[in-house]
Amino acid sequence: VQLQASGGGLVQAGGSLRLSCTASGGTFRNYRMAWFRQSPGKEREFVSGIERSGGNTWYTDSVKGRFTISRDNAKNILYLQMNSLKPEDTADYYCAAGARLILSAIRNGDLYDYWGQGTQVTVSS
């Protein structure tokens, strides 16, 4: 499956952005999906994950209450609504798809099968 992330940009602290990840070439609903981010000099970080049906979601503590992950299996699109953005949210954001990923490993980026190209988010103070 091919993943195309979009929606990044420059925003002031407190602002909002919505990232999208469009999937093609596979059966989107068969994949557990997630967003990761990486900023210069830092390791890749799990941001949020979502179950195949969209019924269960997971977040890293630093974004809980501010970010919302969702998916539209009819349109093959994964979303990340980001509100109340902070300068520390600045990073390249990547979407990822896992076909055989077990729930306990959803935060482990090494176990995902496919990755999007990344979209840059910059939050100014």
Side-chain angles (χ1 to χ4, degrees):
V1 64
Q2 291 79 46
L3 303 175
Q4 180 74 36
S6 61
L10 173 63
V11 64
Q12 288 188 332
S16 298
L17 284 173
R18 188 175 79 158
L19 305 184
S20 298
C21 175
T22 302
S24 60
T27 305
F28 181 67
R29 65 180 180 273
N30 289 346
Y31 294 90
R32 291 188 171 113
M33 300 295 297
W35 289 97
F36 290 79
R37 66 187 179 187
Q38 188 169 22
S39 52
K42 294 187 177 181
E43 293 186 354
R44 181 179 60 200
E45 175 188 24
F46 170 85
V47 177
S48 182
I50 189 166
E51 179 59 278
R52 296 181 183 94
S53 65
N56 290 311
T57 58
W58 297 263
Y59 299 92
T60 192
D61 287 345
S62 63
V63 308
K64 284 181 181 176
R66 301 188 297 121
F67 290 11
T68 303
I69 191 171
S70 61
R71 64 191 297 166
D72 186 333
N73 285 344
K75 295 181 178 179
N76 294 348
I77 303 177
L78 173 74
Y79 300 102
L80 184 68
Q81 178 67 44
M82 305 187 296
N83 298 329
S84 302
L85 282 161
K86 303 176 181 181
E88 50 263 43
D89 295 318
T90 295
D92 290 327
Y93 283 72
Y94 300 86
C95 55
R100 295 166 296 278
L101 194 66
I102 59 175
L103 288 179
S104 62
I106 199 164
R107 298 171 186 267
N108 187 341
D110 292 340
L111 299 180
Y112 283 77
D113 301 298
Y114 304 101
W115 290 82
Q117 86 288 1
T119 185
Q120 188 174 51
V121 172
T122 303
V123 184
S124 63
S125 57

